[in-house]
Amino acid sequence: MKNTRVTTRAQESTNAIERLYITMRHLFNRGFYKPMGVSGETLRNALLQLRPEIYGSIGEEKAELDGLVYVLERLPEGIEQCRFINLTSDEGYGKAHFAPIIPPKRRRNCYRIDDEQMNIEITRGRSDIYDILTHLTFLFIESHKICKHVLIEDTEETIRDWGKLEAAVQKKKLSLAEREVALIHTSNILNRPFEEVLEYHKKFATKAEPEKFLHIIYWMGKLAIEEEVTGNKRAITFTSMLRERLGHHIHGERWANTIKEVMAKNDLLSRPIHIISANMHSVMNSLFAKKALAKEYPKDGSLEIYKALSSHQNHLLQKKVSDIARKNGMITIDDHTGTNIDVQIFDLAKIGEDACCYDLPKGLPQEEKPVIFVMDYAFGEQAYETIDELLKPYKSKQKGDVFLDVASISIMGKAGILEGGKGDLMIPSAHIFEGTSDNYPFKNELCAKDFQGYGLEVFEGAMVTVLGTSLQNRDILKFFHKSTWNVIGLEMEGVHYQKAIQSASKIRKSIREDVKVRYAYYASDNPLETGGTLASGGLGTTGVKPTYLITDRILEQIFNSIHKI
């Protein structure tokens, strides 16, 4: 009798992720599919087998509300009401009367075409498509849970709770008593306790839509019931233009060319360039805030200033810092190419005396004073598209190919940590591409010693670049963490950045071969901890300290290296 080999949960989960991506590519090439039909069944089954941590109880009968909050923050408002969802390229909808709908946690333009149709623009590559399709699959699974609970078996009738919810939704305004009655019926529909449903009602409520939660649950259930009763299924379509354009770096090329043109006009292309991928405030604030706000905060340390600047209420302080930065050589380039990646360029030759918090070597010639180039966060594979195009020579009509003197590339980002908690630091020594044998070891100019003594835990090791953070489950992450891979965290861009840097420096020779590379991440969540996933909420001010500590170490190394260039 032959021994039967039992697969582990990690292996099953890896297979499920592989099936998800293969299926998503197939459906994209096909051009359309019905999520709750036969064509969408593979996606649903794979997601249910995977049971990602971020989607909590997706595999159970009860509704998953944390996952619902997470997903709806990343999808356009009103998508639960739409039977037809079209994924499009940038096809000019912004020139029509449609106002773009931008999800709070994802920078993408979406357009409500009519009562039944939502168009979502894809300008950031395949990662954007994977992200959207995964979230939509979750949404459809949850909507059919509602349908299953309210539709009486073998009939077209619904339970009493559904009728009460429908009546509440149709009212323009609810009294406190009416709202609580509606929530009691909703808790029965969702198979969740009343106090829990009450809490999520508050999370979703806005001034304009105090009953938003009830409307979302109603529309999710309504469309699922219509599918079941009438057979009119929801559909997701990929336009032919999107399928033609995807993978051709159209938006990344426009973005990079726009930036190089601005740099050429300002005579910056021949100067040493330090590229930093970060947010749009930490580098500017680190360079100028302490001196710019010396009157407002004469005794406070830098951290208190940065915390104040991170508050939306202190827009006047933020404006004061940005105004001083512009007077001292900062150029801002807001994106109009579709990448949604804004840029700041700091010309260190134009920094006035006592304006900057870091010192340049005295007597440094103007042509040797570097340029700090800050780009906003890329999304997944978009990191390769943008950096690959940026590092190519600038094609000048007068001079021909102008090669950029890129001295260093620094990547700061948020990532999921596998040991430690929110706000702790990860310093990678290699990037591993999930689902492939691709791995990218490199010499990181940053190390754990640079960050010790500041009350944060610091971990060094390999990091996994995942195809989507929403598809990770505990079994896969435990395998990566406890095996000889020595993985400390997961993120979505590292491999793509490093692939572009290595091809430009080692193969194409478009930038110097000895370009300095720095990577550092701070933990936004710990997906191995119960209640520690991204769905559990944001970092708040916890992220201020690690963000500015990483920024300071990057700038410190840049300024210390200037005389050695």
Side-chain angles (χ1 to χ4, degrees):
M1 186 175 177
K2 292 181 179 178
N3 292 328
T4 56
R5 182 178 174 84
V6 179
T7 57
T8 64
R9 269 290 295 154
Q11 289 169 328
E12 289 173 0
S13 301
T14 301
N15 290 337
I17 289 177
E18 189 176 358
R19 284 201 310 279
L20 276 162
Y21 287 115
I22 290 170
T23 305
M24 283 192 266
R25 287 201 175 205
H26 164 70
L27 295 173
F28 172 75
N29 291 329
R30 182 186 176 197
F32 77 98
Y33 77 102
K34 294 177 179 178
M36 298 311 296
V38 176
S39 54
E41 189 175 4
T42 306
L43 281 183
R44 299 196 310 272
N45 290 343
L47 199 63
L48 288 169
Q49 182 183 15
L50 186 61
R51 297 194 298 276
E53 297 306 308
I54 217 156
Y55 292 153
S57 58
I58 186 174
E60 301 173 26
E61 283 193 16
K62 63 182 180 180
E64 168 52 40
L65 298 180
D66 271 336
L68 186 63
V69 173
Y70 178 84
V71 162
L72 290 179
E73 284 179 336
R74 286 154 179 82
L75 291 173
E77 189 171 348
I79 197 161
E80 71 281 353
Q81 302 172 11
C82 297
R83 287 185 59 229
F84 304 99
I85 298 165
N86 287 7
L87 273 59
T88 77
S89 180
D90 180 1
E91 299 176 22
Y93 300 109
K95 294 178 181 177
H97 71 280
F98 305 109
I101 305 167
I102 301 171
K105 298 291 178 73
R106 283 287 185 268
R107 292 168 296 178
R108 53 172 73 105
N109 290 333
C110 310
Y111 299 93
R112 185 72 178 266
I113 305 302
D114 54 38
D115 290 344
E116 292 188 305
Q117 182 176 330
M118 181 74 74
N119 283 14
I120 303 176
E121 272 187 1
I122 304 295
T123 58
R124 297 192 292 175
R126 289 186 183 89
S127 297
D128 229 6
I129 295 174
Y130 299 151
D131 189 60
I132 290 164
L133 293 188
T134 309
H135 293 333
L136 287 175
T137 303
F138 166 85
L139 199 65
F140 292 134
I141 289 171
E142 290 297 314
S143 72
H144 271 256
K145 282 185 190 177
I146 297 170
C147 172
K148 190 178 177 182
H149 287 151
V150 303
L151 200 59
I152 298 170
E153 198 172 353
D154 298 326
T155 73
E156 295 183 4
E157 300 296 318
T158 55
I159 61 173
R160 179 172 175 269
D161 293 304
W162 182 254
K164 294 294 182 182
L165 173 60
E166 189 170 38
V169 166
Q170 288 169 354
K171 289 186 178 181
K172 288 185 177 179
K173 192 174 181 181
L174 296 180
S175 66
L176 176 62
E178 288 171 331
R179 178 183 299 126
E180 289 181 347
V181 168
L183 288 172
I184 288 170
H185 291 297
T186 305
S187 69
N188 290 336
I189 291 167
L190 299 177
N191 203 13
R192 288 283 189 178
F194 169 72
E195 60 181 357
E196 211 173 282
V197 172
L198 186 63
E199 180 189 335
Y200 284 96
H201 180 275
K202 290 175 183 174
K203 281 185 181 180
F204 278 100
T206 64
K207 285 184 178 180
E209 294 180 272
E211 313 303 337
K212 187 175 180 179
F213 177 69
L214 294 177
H215 283 262
I216 287 168
I217 300 303
Y218 170 72
W219 277 102
M220 284 172 65
K222 177 181 168 64
L223 294 188
I225 292 166
E226 285 179 4
E227 276 196 23
E228 194 69 27
V229 172
T230 67
N232 293 327
K233 297 193 179 295
R234 287 169 280 187
I236 294 176
T237 305
F238 309 91
T239 65
S240 57
M241 192 170 288
L242 173 63
R243 285 182 284 153
E244 286 169 14
R245 286 180 171 180
L246 194 72
H248 292 298
H249 291 199
I250 290 169
H251 299 286
E253 186 178 20
R254 285 182 197 158
W255 175 82
N257 288 341
T258 301
I259 289 160
K260 289 175 202 172
E261 283 165 12
V262 171
M263 294 181 76
K265 285 177 185 176
N266 289 273
D267 295 323
L268 302 177
L269 287 177
S270 60
R271 304 251 297 278
I273 299 167
H274 296 270
I275 297 170
I276 303 175
S277 172
N279 52 59
M280 287 289 97
H281 54 78
S282 65
V283 174
M284 177 182 69
N285 290 344
S286 296
L287 287 170
F288 300 107
K290 197 169 182 180
K291 290 192 175 181
L293 302 178
K295 289 182 181 178
E296 289 83 354
Y297 296 91
K299 295 180 181 178
D300 289 338
S302 301
L303 187 60
E304 285 67 31
I305 296 172
Y306 299 146
K307 282 182 178 178
L309 287 168
S310 69
S311 171
H312 295 298
Q313 297 174 344
N314 292 327
H315 61 276
L316 291 177
L317 293 179
Q318 294 163 1
K319 186 178 183 300
K320 185 175 181 180
V321 175
S322 62
D323 286 347
I324 286 174
R326 285 189 181 91
K327 288 176 184 176
N328 287 274
M330 183 178 81
I331 302 166
T332 58
I333 307 174
D334 295 331
D335 180 66
H336 300 289
T337 66
T339 62
N340 287 305
I341 298 177
D342 295 334
V343 165
Q344 293 168 336
I345 298 170
F346 298 90
D347 181 357
L348 299 191
K350 292 185 178 178
I351 290 180
E353 196 173 342
D354 294 328
C356 183
C357 300
Y358 298 84
D359 296 321
L360 282 170
K362 290 182 180 179
L364 194 68
Q366 291 290 95
E367 65 273 12
E368 291 182 25
K369 290 182 179 178
V371 174
I372 295 177
F373 173 98
V374 183
M375 57 182 282
D376 208 347
Y377 297 121
F379 184 73
E381 288 185 14
Q382 188 191 35
Y384 176 75
E385 178 179 335
T386 48
I387 289 289
D388 184 57
E389 293 296 331
L390 183 65
L391 298 182
K392 288 179 181 177
Y394 172 64
K395 296 190 180 298
S396 169
K397 291 178 182 177
Q398 292 80 26
K399 300 177 183 177
D401 285 354
V402 178
F403 290 83
L404 277 64
D405 182 14
V406 179
S408 73
I409 300 172
S410 305
I411 312 297
M412 175 181 76
K414 291 185 286 187
I417 198 167
L418 302 184
E419 187 179 341
K422 289 185 178 183
D424 288 336
L425 302 178
M426 291 156 278
I427 312 300
S429 55
H431 289 298
I432 302 162
F433 199 11
E434 181 189 46
T436 74
S437 56
D438 297 354
N439 53 82
Y440 296 81
F442 51 86
K443 184 186 183 304
N444 195 344
E445 295 297 312
L446 297 170
C447 65
K449 287 182 182 178
D450 296 326
F451 301 95
Q452 287 171 355
Y454 292 91
L456 298 171
E457 286 198 76
V458 190
F459 301 90
E460 280 186 298
M463 291 193 72
V464 174
T465 296
V466 298
L467 291 162
T469 53
S470 57
L471 290 182
Q472 304 313 302
N473 75 1
R474 197 162 295 184
D475 304 291
I476 293 176
L477 298 178
K478 279 182 180 176
F479 165 75
F480 273 127
H481 183 48
K482 293 183 177 180
S483 70
T484 52
W485 283 110
N486 185 33
V487 168
I488 56 172
L490 63 146
E491 47 76 59
M492 284 185 65
E493 292 81 30
V495 157
H496 307 299
Y497 279 126
Q498 192 59 27
K499 182 166 64 171
I501 294 165
Q502 287 183 194
S503 64
S505 60
K506 310 291 185 188
I507 301 170
R508 292 179 171 179
K509 309 292 184 183
S510 57
I511 61 171
R512 60 171 71 179
E513 193 171 349
D514 63 345
V515 61
K516 303 294 183 187
V517 177
R518 304 180 188 91
Y519 287 92
Y521 299 89
Y522 60 94
S524 56
D525 63 300
N526 184 334
L528 290 180
E529 286 184 359
T530 303
T533 69
L534 282 168
S536 65
L539 276 165
T541 55
T542 308
V544 174
K545 186 175 182 179
T547 296
Y548 282 93
L549 182 57
I550 293 170
T551 305
D552 177 67
R553 290 298 172 269
I554 290 170
L555 290 174
E556 199 175 66
Q557 286 197 5
I558 288 172
F559 276 83
N560 288 341
S561 70
I562 287 170
H563 65 281
K564 299 174 185 176
I565 293 173

